[in-house]
Amino acid sequence: MTLRAFVVGHPIAHSRSPLIHGHWLAAHGVDGTYERVDVAADAFAEFLGQVRAGAYLGGNVTIPHKEAAFRMVDRLTPRAQRIGAVNTIVRGADGQLTGDNTDAPGFIAHLDRSLGADWPGRGEGRALVIGAGGAARAIVVGLLERGLASITVANRTRERARALTELDPERVRVLDWDRLPDTLGDVDLLVNTTALGMKGHPPLDLQLSGLPAHAAVADIVYAPLETPLLAAAREKGLAAVDGLGMLLHQAVPGFEAWFGIRPEVTPDLRARIVADLTA
Ligand code: NAP
């Protein structure tokens, strides 16, 4: 029997996830499919009913259904509970759906691969997270789990940044948006989680000259792959971590749960997605 998984969203045509999972299905010779499913918000509950009934082993959830999936699945992993959004659903043998969020481990896995797993040591490292949307929440949870000493969040809408401090009031703080340029001197890792720098959006307007020479700069925008922020970081000789790695690594746990094989993020896979992004 063909094993079936999905990515559900609305719209969904832009999703690169079928390319990623299709690559792994072929590489491992799995008799399976990973299908794009376009489902409007008012039909999402019915779609989950089909998954419970056995139409799929599970799948990925993207905009605009991540919060609805959080409310509607039968069980949540502790990480999904903390993040408040679900991007991966796994159907159990009993038909119950478990919701997980793999954005946090995906971001951290790519960061560790890019900077070395010993960076920074436990209880060290100060991160500045720019933005406080859904992706930022996952990243702050990932950085907390990774053991960073402090995480400062700056967002255009201050209240959304303040909400993130509830994740860990000791280690997560708010910085006013207009104070961003003054505070770079003690930042070890700067992460852009806003849409700024994405194709069709203005770049993030921030001079990096205040960052220490050892600092790393990560951007979770991956279209374009080299955002103006990452280009500026490289120009200053700083380590630059792109957003594509997060997208690739967040896909690993889902594939493993549905198809029973832990796949690798290989240079081949990356090259395939880069070719698609730049086509
Ligand atoms: P979201 O929940 O809508 O949050 C958007 C964030 O961007 C908010 O902090 C928002 O600030 C900020 N923003 C938007 N326009 C801005 C502007 N003109 N000036 C200042 N701030 C602005 O979206 P999300 O789901 O977090 O996604 C954010 C970005 O991450 C997107 O580009 C998405 O493609 C990317 N992403 C990448 C991955 C990956 O795997 N690499 C995964 C998820 C998301 P306000 O709160 O003030 O509106």
Side-chain angles (χ1 to χ4, degrees):
M1 192 187 70
T2 303
L3 307 172
R4 297 173 72 199
F6 61 82
V7 56
V8 63
H10 185 65
I12 197 60
H14 65 283
S15 173
R16 259 85 189 189
S17 292
L19 266 181
I20 300 171
H21 290 282
H23 177 90
W24 286 332
L25 286 169
H28 293 284
V30 177
D31 179 14
T33 64
Y34 181 93
E35 305 162 19
R36 280 192 179 91
V37 189
D38 194 325
V39 173
D42 59 2
F44 187 63
E46 189 189 326
F47 173 74
L48 289 187
Q50 292 167 19
V51 182
R52 282 191 187 90
Y56 295 96
L57 298 164
N60 288 123
V61 180
T62 187
I63 293 167
H65 302 310
K66 289 183 179 187
E67 284 78 21
F70 174 80
R71 291 192 305 275
M72 292 181 191
V73 292
D74 307 302
R75 291 185 282 254
L76 291 164
T77 62
R79 188 180 281 131
Q81 181 86 52
R82 215 168 169 209
I83 295 172
V86 159
N87 77 341
T88 302
I89 290 178
V90 180
R91 180 185 183 276
D94 57 359
Q96 300 255 298
L97 305 183
T98 300
D100 193 8
N101 191 310
T102 63
D103 277 339
F107 175 75
I108 297 297
H110 180 51
L111 194 67
D112 282 351
R113 268 227 202 159
S114 305
L115 301 179
D118 56 350
W119 187 97
R122 293 254 148 209
E124 294 171 25
R126 283 169 298 208
L128 172 60
V129 173
I130 303 177
R137 194 170 178 91
I139 282 168
V140 170
V141 166
L143 292 171
L144 286 168
E145 288 179 358
R146 182 67 179 72
L148 263 77
S150 93
I151 300 158
T152 302
V153 183
N155 193 48
R156 178 179 62 176
T157 310
R158 193 178 195 281
E159 176 50 29
R160 284 183 99 185
R162 200 212 49 78
L164 294 188
T165 65
E166 289 162 13
L167 288 166
D168 186 335
E170 300 267 297
R171 287 193 285 159
V172 184
R173 290 173 209 125
V174 180
L175 174 73
D176 286 335
W177 183 255
D178 52 11
R179 289 202 48 226
L180 261 175
D182 318 333
T183 49
L184 300 183
D186 57 1
V187 168
D188 301 306
L189 171 69
L190 183 150
V191 190
N192 174 45
T193 74
T194 72
L196 294 170
M198 202 169 142
K199 215 188 298 180
H201 292 252
L204 174 66
D205 182 19
L206 182 64
Q207 290 299 320
L208 300 182
S209 46
L211 283 173
H214 72 269
V217 176
D219 201 331
I220 69 163
V221 169
Y222 57 83
L225 197 54
E226 181 82 342
T227 60
L229 178 70
L230 292 184
R234 277 187 232 278
E235 201 169 293
K236 297 201 178 320
L238 304 173
V241 181
D242 69 52
L244 180 56
M246 173 180 172
L247 181 74
L248 300 176
H249 283 278
Q250 65 76 30
V252 170
F255 189 94
E256 183 177 20
W258 310 315
F259 302 116
I261 296 164
R262 188 163 181 87
E264 285 286 320
V265 174
T266 57
D268 249 18
L269 170 62
R270 195 183 150 87
R272 195 160 170 188
I273 309 301
V274 170
D276 186 67
L277 282 170
T278 50

